[in-house]
Amino acid sequence: MADHPEPHPTTPERQGPPRPHTKPTSSPSDPPRPPDDPPPQRAMGFDELAVRIFTQRKKKGGSEEDDKEELRAQIVHSPFGSSSSYPFKPPYSEKGRTALIEALEKVVAQARSTQRIPQASAKEVREQRVREYLDIGRRLTEGLFPSPKEGEENKGIAIFLRHCLAEVRHRIANNQARGLRLRLLFDAPPNGSNMREINRMMALPWDLLTEPQKEKKDGEDASEADAEEQDSFLCRSSTHAYTPLVYSFGSWRPHQRRIPQVEPPLRVLLIFQSVLNDVNLDLAMDLRQIQQAIAGTETVDVRILAAPTMDQLRWELTQNEIHVLHFVGHGGVDDHSGEGYLLFQHSDGKEQRIMARTLASVARQSPSLRLMVFGSCFTAKVDHESGKSPYLSVAGALQQAGIPAVIAMRYPVSDPAAARLAAELYAALAAGDPVDAALAEARASLPEEYLEWLTPVLFLGAEDGQLFNLRRHPTDANEPLKIAIQSFEGWGKRLTRQSDRVLSLLPSFDGRRIREPHLWNSKILPHLRRFLAEAALMERPIVLEMQAHQTLPFAAGYLWEAKSGLDISIRQRGIRGTELWRASEGELPEGEPWKPPREETAPKNGKKSKQKKAPYLDANSPHLALALGITRPVEEDVKAFLSRQATGKSPVKFHRLLSLEVPSPAQTSVKNGAHAVALASWVADQLDRRPQEERQREDKKKGQEESVLHIFGAVPNTFLFYLGQMARSFGKIQFHEFFFGHAGATYFPTMVLSGHEVRVA
């Protein structure tokens, strides 16, 4: 096998990090910029870092030794050029790899079990698990992208990945919706005789890859941001949708199939096979979540085919235009041949095994089919103990048949996880996302500690993940772009019918409660940032509507700060109906906008106070609480919450509580957009007048600690949007939501925002 495949015919090799035997010409803090960056675009595009993994006979004395092969790797394509091949030393021995795979399968199986971790130790167990997975990911990363210390032949390989990731972060910071696809190419010739090593490499959990450890100079400490990136998986980091991982077969020859211009809707054929009458396969759950994700959109149409025979499926694929085939049912691997299969229903009603190669021969008869999705177990599994061809797996056979993209499962998957994955996937595809970014978003919706997010694998034979270019009619640049943000149910269908684009965050919530608290920052904030960035790039007036938690309009304003220059109108719903509010329109009511502020401040150390000190006050605390009452008074609710926080397992105290309330709190207190801006400006002015010692308070044990502003309130969404636009000077912000309709209704912390957040306009 040649060490240097020809450059990709449509992507010229760019200059960047030199070959591995030389030193880099730039540091990670100032990465080289590839020339001719494509202009920003609404649909995310990707550069690619492709790593080929293959075997090569060892050479000794100028001749090849019989039956002795070594694993090698090679960067065959990247924004910064390619590399020579280098020895690839797997981070685990053969015995260790087998034990690792079995251990991961066991952990994934726990997500399907009814047994749960005891509540008392749940947090500790979850944190320990994640630490163990990160260690596995670091070892895999070091093996595939060795650092210079590994030897001259490998020197500099880690720099490729490091610089590519630095470039992604640079682009995000500069509002360029372009990421980096990491493609692992397993070079397994269709007629190869010994593919045991390749199979073993494919079985490893490469989705646990982390950012490579940076080389630190003497006396240099890693920044908190760097440490956070290195302590997260690339597939689950804050930029996960920008750094997806895909698998491919071969050296570097992606299918050159033309991407069809698809007239909406995107046609999905959902096949449900239940020949075993397995009640665990909950079709209703799948359908509910998929339909919820695409409710009201005109770009995706789901058609259901229950328990079809293979002949019926063949007829559907050849007689109708099908773009996506989604299979829900059972799968497995034949013990004797090692070939994967799916269970179908025979014409006599009995179960029938449809082998992988038979399925592939049927699928290739559909000229419109671009993506196949399997919610069935082991459809991505290869036999890592044998030398049998990886093309015997369901995913491998379909890739060999030329299907551009296949999403398959390497482990068993629980029904709730499969349903949530499907819902997230189709919501992202409906928004125009590439399939690799869509799957990255879907996987990030699953809990980190159970590893079910590791189960789905994307095999991408196409050159790019943009499998569908949904044709849209040209739009007048002066016509408003109607966008909406939705995080709970209500007037959902009406919302989607009257909007050009909808950010649906429903899969992250159970009713109005977040499924996992970390999703506010790990998933929802990146979703929101990207959605707003894409809308801003369309350079049209914007009409924004929100059926959402109060955190989201504030965060939207924070990301679309006042200096963005965007032309934004907001649809405000209330008892007066729906009104279109603009910041510059409307008369201001007479009188003072707010009542005089009420404050509770902790007495300074050594000073006595006549008033009884509240349990939540502490002069040394860096926390400031802000209570805003516009639609109703909130001060007492906030005090009750702060008191509980001060006496809980992890006490949090505040040095000051600032309560602001309008003269007559009611649903109609804010009259129009100009009034909302005036109220927000008054609040911002109060906060900007804080003394410097309050903005950054000193803790003798921790050194200088940044002040944290905690926001509580009952206010209109439009007011929160405008306040968010003015909040860049507030410092670090912790937002809180009040949840009604539950016993002991109270506030809950939601999203954290700080000056380090990336502006999107």
Side-chain angles (χ1 to χ4, degrees), residues 4-268:
H4 299 279
E6 298 176 4
H8 189 270
T10 61
T11 309
E13 202 170 286
R14 294 176 176 176
Q15 299 299 315
R19 298 293 180 182
H21 60 274
T22 63
K23 294 182 179 180
T25 56
S26 61
S27 66
S29 61
D30 185 21
R33 295 295 311 276
D36 302 323
D37 280 342
Q41 50 192 2
R42 189 200 69 77
M44 179 187 292
F46 286 91
D47 287 327
E48 183 159 304
L49 174 62
V51 184
R52 173 186 169 218
I53 299 173
F54 62 101
T55 58
Q56 181 174 284
R57 290 179 182 270
K58 290 183 178 180
K59 294 183 179 181
K60 186 177 181 180
S63 63
E64 294 182 346
E65 292 185 287
D66 293 337
D67 299 326
K68 289 189 177 181
E69 296 183 337
E70 68 172 349
L71 277 167
R72 296 187 72 82
Q74 177 185 14
I75 295 176
V76 294
H77 185 78
S78 84
F80 301 107
S82 58
S83 78
S84 303
S85 70
Y86 53 91
F88 172 39
K89 298 178 181 179
Y92 294 92
S93 65
E94 181 177 341
K95 184 177 180 181
R97 286 194 295 268
T98 301
L100 172 62
I101 293 168
E102 291 176 351
L104 292 176
E105 290 180 352
K106 182 178 179 181
V107 171
V108 173
Q110 289 182 1
R112 296 166 54 88
S113 172
T114 57
Q115 297 179 356
R116 294 297 176 190
I117 303 172
Q119 185 64 31
S121 60
K123 182 178 180 181
E124 292 78 4
V125 171
R126 287 196 296 266
E127 292 176 349
Q128 177 61 28
R129 280 180 173 174
V130 173
R131 285 194 295 269
E132 292 172 356
Y133 306 154
L134 283 169
D135 182 63
I136 295 170
R138 293 188 193 101
R139 294 182 66 179
L140 291 171
T141 304
E142 181 62 27
L144 191 58
F145 298 97
S147 58
K149 64 183 180 182
E150 292 295 317
E152 288 297 320
E153 190 175 3
N154 294 344
K155 195 168 185 179
I157 293 299
I159 294 176
F160 279 89
L161 179 59
R162 191 179 300 136
H163 282 199
C164 285
L165 295 176
E167 177 66 16
V168 170
R169 289 192 293 273
H170 177 83
R171 284 176 171 170
I172 293 174
N174 286 275
N175 194 26
Q176 296 177 334
R178 191 166 184 84
L180 175 78
R181 177 189 306 108
L182 179 58
R183 188 191 297 258
L184 299 186
L185 295 154
F186 296 94
D187 200 344
N191 299 317
S193 58
N194 185 359
M195 289 183 260
R196 181 178 288 108
E197 286 300 320
I198 293 296
N199 288 349
R200 289 172 177 169
M201 293 303 101
M202 288 187 66
L204 288 173
W206 294 106
D207 306 85
L208 294 177
L209 287 175
T210 65
E211 181 153 344
Q213 298 290 316
K214 291 189 176 182
E215 298 177 69
K216 291 184 289 186
K217 300 176 182 179
D218 293 340
E220 182 183 27
D221 293 327
S223 68
E224 288 186 12
D226 292 339
E228 182 178 350
E229 292 294 339
Q230 293 170 9
D231 284 338
S232 62
F233 308 109
L234 289 180
C235 292
R236 293 190 67 95
S237 68
S238 59
T239 60
H240 60 265
Y242 290 82
T243 54
L245 175 72
V246 304
Y247 293 64
S248 294
F249 293 101
S251 52
W252 176 234
R253 294 292 183 270
H255 302 312
Q256 297 297 313
R257 291 181 61 173
R258 181 179 62 87
I259 299 176
Q261 293 293 317
V262 178
E263 187 70 32
L266 182 68
R267 302 186 185 278
V268 179

Side-chain angles (χ1 to χ4, degrees), residues 222-482:
S223 68
E224 288 186 12
D226 292 339
E228 182 178 350
E229 292 294 339
Q230 293 170 9
D231 284 338
S232 62
F233 308 109
L234 289 180
C235 292
R236 293 190 67 95
S237 68
S238 59
T239 60
H240 60 265
Y242 290 82
T243 54
L245 175 72
V246 304
Y247 293 64
S248 294
F249 293 101
S251 52
W252 176 234
R253 294 292 183 270
H255 302 312
Q256 297 297 313
R257 291 181 61 173
R258 181 179 62 87
I259 299 176
Q261 293 293 317
V262 178
E263 187 70 32
L266 182 68
R267 302 186 185 278
V268 179
L269 179 62
L270 176 59
I271 296 176
F272 177 69
Q273 285 287 359
S274 57
V275 295
L276 299 182
N277 296 318
D278 189 341
V279 295
N280 289 324
L281 287 173
D282 188 351
L283 173 62
M285 180 185 296
D286 277 55
L287 292 181
R288 234 180 0 255
Q289 294 208 25
I290 292 174
Q291 289 171 345
Q292 185 184 68
I294 63 174
T297 180
E298 297 180 354
T299 57
V300 179
D301 176 60
V302 178
R303 182 162 174 262
I304 304 166
L305 196 60
T309 64
M310 198 59 191
D311 288 338
Q312 289 172 328
L313 175 60
R314 182 183 289 106
W315 190 90
E316 288 286 341
L317 290 177
T318 55
Q319 299 300 314
N320 298 307
E321 183 177 357
I322 304 296
H323 307 128
V324 181
L325 177 64
H326 187 121
F327 179 88
V328 178
H330 287 283
V333 178
D334 185 81
D335 294 334
H336 177 69
S337 67
E339 185 174 3
Y341 64 83
L342 301 177
L343 287 181
F344 268 68
Q345 181 171 288
H346 196 269
S347 56
D348 60 7
K350 297 181 180 179
E351 72 176 53
Q352 178 186 17
R353 283 189 178 186
I354 301 300
M355 307 310 291
R357 286 175 290 187
T358 301
L359 180 66
S361 67
V362 173
R364 72 190 308 170
Q365 296 176 33
S366 172
S368 61
L369 189 60
R370 300 290 292 164
L371 171 64
M372 297 184 73
V373 182
F374 295 94
S376 38
C377 308
F378 301 123
T379 42
K381 186 175 182 178
V382 296
D383 187 354
H384 59 274
E385 296 299 333
S386 74
K388 295 176 182 177
S389 172
Y391 294 105
L392 290 174
S393 69
V394 172
L398 292 168
Q399 284 280 277
Q400 192 176 30
I403 303 301
V406 178
I407 296 175
M409 306 293 167
R410 61 151 63 94
Y411 305 130
V413 59
S414 66
D415 296 325
R420 190 185 299 185
L421 282 166
E424 290 274 0
L425 176 71
Y426 291 115
L429 290 176
D433 287 357
V435 65
D436 37 9
L439 181 61
E441 298 283 18
R443 299 203 306 178
S445 70
L446 299 179
E448 190 172 54
E449 66 272 10
Y450 280 113
L451 283 190
E452 277 201 295
W453 62 272
L454 199 64
T455 298
V457 178
L458 172 60
F459 290 85
L460 186 64
E463 179 181 357
D464 189 81
Q466 194 69 55
L467 302 177
F468 318 102
N469 287 332
L470 296 178
R471 186 179 300 153
R472 299 178 184 272
H473 299 293
T475 307
D476 185 346
N478 294 320
E479 180 182 344
L481 174 68
K482 299 175 182 178

Side-chain angles (χ1 to χ4, degrees), residues 705-734:
E705 187 173 353
E706 185 178 10
S707 179
V708 182
L709 172 65
H710 294 249
I711 298 180
F712 307 82
V715 294
N717 285 345
T718 305
F719 165 84
L720 281 173
F721 178 84
Y722 292 137
L723 183 63
Q725 285 195 306
M726 305 171 191
R728 288 282 171 174
S729 61
F730 295 176
K732 189 173 184 179
I733 301 167
Q734 169 72 70

Side-chain angles (χ1 to χ4, degrees), residues 366-667:
S366 172
S368 61
L369 189 60
R370 300 290 292 164
L371 171 64
M372 297 184 73
V373 182
F374 295 94
S376 38
C377 308
F378 301 123
T379 42
K381 186 175 182 178
V382 296
D383 187 354
H384 59 274
E385 296 299 333
S386 74
K388 295 176 182 177
S389 172
Y391 294 105
L392 290 174
S393 69
V394 172
L398 292 168
Q399 284 280 277
Q400 192 176 30
I403 303 301
V406 178
I407 296 175
M409 306 293 167
R410 61 151 63 94
Y411 305 130
V413 59
S414 66
D415 296 325
R420 190 185 299 185
L421 282 166
E424 290 274 0
L425 176 71
Y426 291 115
L429 290 176
D433 287 357
V435 65
D436 37 9
L439 181 61
E441 298 283 18
R443 299 203 306 178
S445 70
L446 299 179
E448 190 172 54
E449 66 272 10
Y450 280 113
L451 283 190
E452 277 201 295
W453 62 272
L454 199 64
T455 298
V457 178
L458 172 60
F459 290 85
L460 186 64
E463 179 181 357
D464 189 81
Q466 194 69 55
L467 302 177
F468 318 102
N469 287 332
L470 296 178
R471 186 179 300 153
R472 299 178 184 272
H473 299 293
T475 307
D476 185 346
N478 294 320
E479 180 182 344
L481 174 68
K482 299 175 182 178
I483 67 173
I485 300 169
Q486 183 182 18
S487 61
F488 52 78
E489 294 285 5
W491 54 89
K493 291 186 177 180
R494 191 163 124 206
L495 188 73
T496 51
R497 278 199 303 269
Q498 62 193 20
S499 304
D500 298 314
R501 304 194 65 212
V502 177
L503 174 62
S504 175
L505 300 168
L506 295 176
S508 295
F509 293 89
D510 182 7
R512 295 208 177 197
R513 291 189 177 252
I514 193 78
R515 292 184 184 275
E516 297 284 345
H518 70 83
L519 293 177
W520 282 110
N521 275 81
S522 66
K523 180 176 177 58
I524 292 174
L525 181 57
H527 267 339
L528 181 65
R529 180 191 296 121
R530 183 172 163 207
F531 178 77
L532 297 178
E534 291 173 353
L537 289 174
M538 300 186 75
E539 298 182 345
R540 291 165 55 187
I542 293 170
V543 175
L544 173 62
E545 185 163 6
M546 292 168 284
Q547 181 188 318
H549 295 74
Q550 292 199 331
T551 303
L552 296 171
F554 182 83
Y558 191 89
L559 295 170
W560 270 347
E561 61 171 335
K563 295 181 181 179
S564 65
L566 295 172
D567 182 357
I568 303 170
S569 302
I570 300 176
R571 290 175 63 89
Q572 177 65 45
R573 294 179 180 270
I575 60 176
R576 294 191 298 256
T578 301
E579 301 173 331
L580 195 64
W581 285 8
R582 293 177 58 82
S584 58
E585 295 180 359
E587 295 183 1
L588 298 181
E590 296 181 358
E592 293 296 325
W594 297 87
K595 293 179 182 178
R598 289 189 295 273
E599 298 186 45
E600 277 191 297
T601 304
K604 294 183 179 180
N605 293 334
K607 289 191 175 182
K608 295 183 179 181
S609 175
K610 296 181 180 179
Q611 296 181 344
K612 183 179 179 182
K613 178 182 173 183
Y616 47 80
L617 292 178
D618 182 349
N620 294 320
S621 170
H623 300 283
L624 166 65
L626 173 65
L628 300 170
I630 293 181
T631 59
R632 66 178 182 86
V634 298
E635 185 176 0
E636 294 306 316
D637 287 332
V638 173
K639 288 181 177 179
F641 171 78
L642 298 184
S643 296
R644 285 192 293 272
Q645 287 285 95
T647 57
K649 292 183 178 180
S650 301
V652 177
K653 295 192 176 185
F654 297 77
H655 72 268
R656 186 160 69 109
L657 167 61
L658 175 61
S659 298
L660 302 177
E661 189 176 291
V662 296
S664 300
Q667 293 292 330

